[in-house]
Amino acid sequence: MDSVVLIKFVPDLVEDLEIDPQSGLLDRSFLRLMPNELDDHALEEALLLKERYGGTVTVITVDTGDVDEALYTAVAKGADRVVKVTGEGFDQGVTDRELASIFHEVLRGMPCELILTGTQAVDDLDGFVGAMLAERMGLPYVGYVTKVESQDGTVIVRKEYPGGLTAEIEVATPAVLGIQAAEKPPRYVVTSKVMEAMKSGSIDEVEAPDVSVEDGVTVSRMSVPETGARAEMIKGSVQDVAAALARLLRDRGVIA
Amino acid sequence: MTGQVCVVVETLRGEVTELTYTMLAAGRRLADALHTKLAALLIGHPCAKLAETLGAADRVFCVDHADLAEFNPEAYLRVVAAVFEKQMPRVAMFGHTAMGTDIACGVAQRLKLPIAVSCRTFSADGAEPQYSALICGGKIIAEGPLPAPHCLVTVMSGGYKADEGRVRKTPPLETLPVPARLDAVRTRFKQYIEPPAGDVDIAKQPILVSVGRGIQNKDNIAMAEALAKAMGGVVSGSRPVIDQGWLPTTRLVGKSGKQVKPKLYLALGISGAPEHAEGMRDAEFIVAINRDEKAPIYGFAHVGAAVDVLELVPALTEKVKAR
């Protein structure tokens, strides 16, 4: 089973996100980017498929800045080929629509049975890359996938619905899958293995093809939601907070 | 439905989903503000009975076919795109769900129309109607125009009350011919798989001690278990904790897991991303512990404290035990 995994870099949500007062949009100057978490699950699922059925795993990302380490990490985890798509202005961000069309062009020379990516990325706004790519390529798409099994020319995927309900759906390959969670937590690799991959492995660099995309939605302003707008905050030491909470819960009759 | 607001109805196992009513509430307001009508597009089999529950819409259009009885992304995409190709609404609303997100982008791409995902509210005060979306785990609100003449959106819960979308009225029903070939579909629904039974039902527990990424590792779950035991509750969790395998899927609170309304929801190290909020926002009393004072959860928790979860849990367990 030859599969391709698409990785999008997104803001690290552990960091404070700031709005640039000039543009009214996310301030990208100090933004730390990381691979979208669900894309990491997509990579894990692809690696599990390789272990189970053989074949190869190719990882592609668009160079929005500092992507090499993630690509070498993918190699250390077992990816056979990693591809970085470079282009001007990518550090200013690439819209989902543009990403889908860039991936589409790059994938033209890369026959594969499955294309896996995260169901969505945390900063998606003008679409989901996997779903848009599938339509561009004329391939079927299923998202919210948590398990993939191969069965002569088709895959049986487990799709997640609310309330813990799931469904089995059969899809003819080639197909695009949006992964919600891999069957197992994404594997961890030690830094020494990543260093080894950096020394011996190589990243294929591909120049971004020219793409033209239809107009998507635009953003006129971004803002940080008022938090703490509602919660009454308890201050003080851990002991003070614990005592105050216990008292509060007793007063409310929640605990004895 | 050309030029109107249209809600693409979601059904699961023959029932209209809760989010559909949220969309109808949103759609009703937007349609009124735009001085147009609200249409609902219902796909499934059989449809007639379900249409009666969609009274918030001025008219229900349905595509009824045995092959559409269960959600099939490829078949539904073909049907919706073909319907819209003939009569394209001003704004088409899809659920920001396992169903809506599978087809909305494909329809947008096929019809070469813009789409805005993760939308929570809409307004139409000015010249152009606007969307407001919640992205980056609930940390950023993005706003902008819904481009004319046509635009698609995915709608998440939280912006409108689903009850507002429940209207006791039977709207006129118009059955459309199946507009696309379904025999060439490469995707097939096989079967539903029930959630594993045997574990406690977190939706029925009065007290939930819920852990998120801030619990840091599997060993620390025991700490939360001890607190839950002292309080007479059980432990539940957010997505990252379940994905790591630290808790079974039966304990998942949120969009893909359970919707819970306990007397007490104690959120430990949970940031409060929209997917999680969807499952617990209606809890009677929400207490949040998260070191990040900007965590979105403080926007809807009742009480909070920005202290270290791993320090607080044992201290609170002591205080709860000591009476």
Side-chain angles (χ1 to χ4, degrees), chain B residues 239-309:
Chain B
R239 187 90 216 195
V241 170
I242 309 298
D243 283 350
Q244 286 298 325
W246 300 344
L247 283 173
T249 52
T250 44
R251 303 294 180 101
L252 176 62
V253 174
K255 185 164 151 180
S256 304
K258 288 277 170 80
Q259 309 273 324
V260 300
K261 289 181 188 174
K263 283 189 166 34
L264 169 65
Y265 191 84
L266 176 56
L268 302 173
I270 290 176
S271 70
E275 294 79 14
H276 185 73
E278 192 172 321
M280 45 67 73
R281 199 168 25 216
D282 295 333
E284 279 180 40
F285 194 56
I286 301 169
V287 177
I289 309 296
N290 193 314
R291 279 253 293 262
D292 177 8
E293 286 183 41
K294 291 184 181 166
I297 196 155
Y298 291 131
F300 51 91
H302 299 92
V303 170
V307 294
D308 190 307
V309 163

Side-chain angles (χ1 to χ4, degrees), chain A:
Chain A
M1 165 98 36
D2 291 336
S3 51
V4 171
V5 178
L6 308 176
I7 294 183
K8 179 184 179 187
F9 276 72
V10 298
D12 184 348
L13 300 183
V14 174
E15 306 278 313
D16 275 348
L17 302 179
E18 309 267 352
I19 305 298
D20 174 10
Q22 289 276 304
S23 66
L25 304 178
L26 205 55
D27 187 348
R28 301 190 73 89
S29 45
F30 300 103
L31 202 59
R32 197 166 83 186
L33 297 172
M34 60 180 284
N36 181 49
E37 197 174 345
L38 298 192
D39 297 348
D40 202 30
H41 279 269
L43 171 61
E44 182 59 36
E45 194 63 30
L47 294 169
L48 292 173
L49 291 173
K50 179 184 164 181
E51 285 167 10
R52 214 177 291 150
Y53 307 109
T56 61
V57 174
T58 302
V59 175
I60 311 177
T61 193
V62 167
D63 186 17
T64 43
D66 299 326
V67 302
D68 289 9
E69 193 183 324
L71 290 178
Y72 285 123
T73 304
V75 172
K77 285 180 173 182
D80 300 275
R81 186 182 170 207
V82 291
V83 180
K84 175 166 80 172
V85 185
T86 58
E88 249 176 75
F90 282 0
D91 54 341
Q92 291 308 305
V94 182
T95 67
D96 297 301
R97 223 166 248 259
E98 285 164 353
L99 269 183
S101 56
I102 290 169
F103 283 137
H104 180 202
E105 291 303 321
V106 172
L107 280 163
R108 280 185 196 278
M110 255 181 235
C112 64
E113 290 163 87
L114 279 183
I115 296 164
L116 299 102
T117 189
T119 291
Q120 57 181 302
V122 294
D123 64 345
D124 282 341
L125 190 64
D126 72 330
F128 307 112
V129 173
M132 286 192 293
L133 175 71
E135 182 58 29
R136 288 189 86 93
M137 298 179 76
L139 298 180
Y141 172 81
V142 185
Y144 281 75
V145 168
T146 58
K147 189 179 183 182
V148 183
E149 279 171 357
S150 171
Q151 220 173 63
D152 9 279
T154 68
V155 284
I156 314 281
V157 303
R158 191 73 80 83
K159 179 177 174 66
E160 202 176 73
Y161 287 111
L165 182 71
T166 55
E168 268 187 358
I169 293 181
E170 187 181 283
V171 195
T173 56
V176 182
L177 301 178
I179 301 294
Q180 182 68 21
E183 282 163 62
K184 291 181 186 170
R187 64 196 65 193
Y188 177 78
V189 279
V190 291
T191 317
S192 61
K193 289 242 177 191
V194 179
M195 298 299 283
E196 213 173 283
M198 277 182 188
K199 275 183 205 142
S200 57
S202 68
I203 294 175
D204 289 354
E205 287 198 21
V206 176
E207 208 165 308
D210 281 334
V211 293
S212 64
V213 293
E214 311 82 39
D215 289 339
V217 290
T218 53
V219 183
S220 19
R221 70 184 279 264
M222 288 190 179
S223 55
V224 176
E226 283 283 315
T227 60
R230 180 163 168 207
E232 179 194 325
M233 300 300 282
I234 303 174
K235 305 274 181 207
S237 70
V238 165
Q239 288 300 326
D240 295 343
V241 171
L245 275 180
R247 201 172 331 121
L248 183 67
L249 296 178
R250 282 207 174 90
D251 289 350
R252 284 186 66 93
V254 177
I255 58 169

Side-chain angles (χ1 to χ4, degrees), chain B residues 171-222:
Chain B
L173 176 67
E174 186 174 323
T175 303
L176 302 172
V178 179
R181 279 187 56 184
L182 299 179
D183 52 351
V185 168
R186 297 154 289 182
T187 310
R188 198 166 63 90
F189 169 85
K190 283 176 75 88
Q191 58 172 335
Y192 286 116
I193 294 165
E194 301 297 332
D199 194 12
V200 291
D201 183 355
I202 54 170
K204 291 185 179 146
Q205 295 290 324
I207 295 177
L208 289 177
V209 173
S210 212
V211 294
R213 215 186 286 270
I215 201 75
Q216 291 180 11
N217 62 51
K218 188 173 187 173
D219 295 343
N220 291 335
I221 300 283

Side-chain angles (χ1 to χ4, degrees), chain B residues 24 28 51-58 60 165-171:
Chain B
L24 286 168
R28 183 75 263 167
E52 291 172 13
T53 68
L54 305 172
D58 296 308
V60 177
R166 287 192 177 86
V167 176
R168 284 184 178 279
K169 195 180 78 181
T170 304

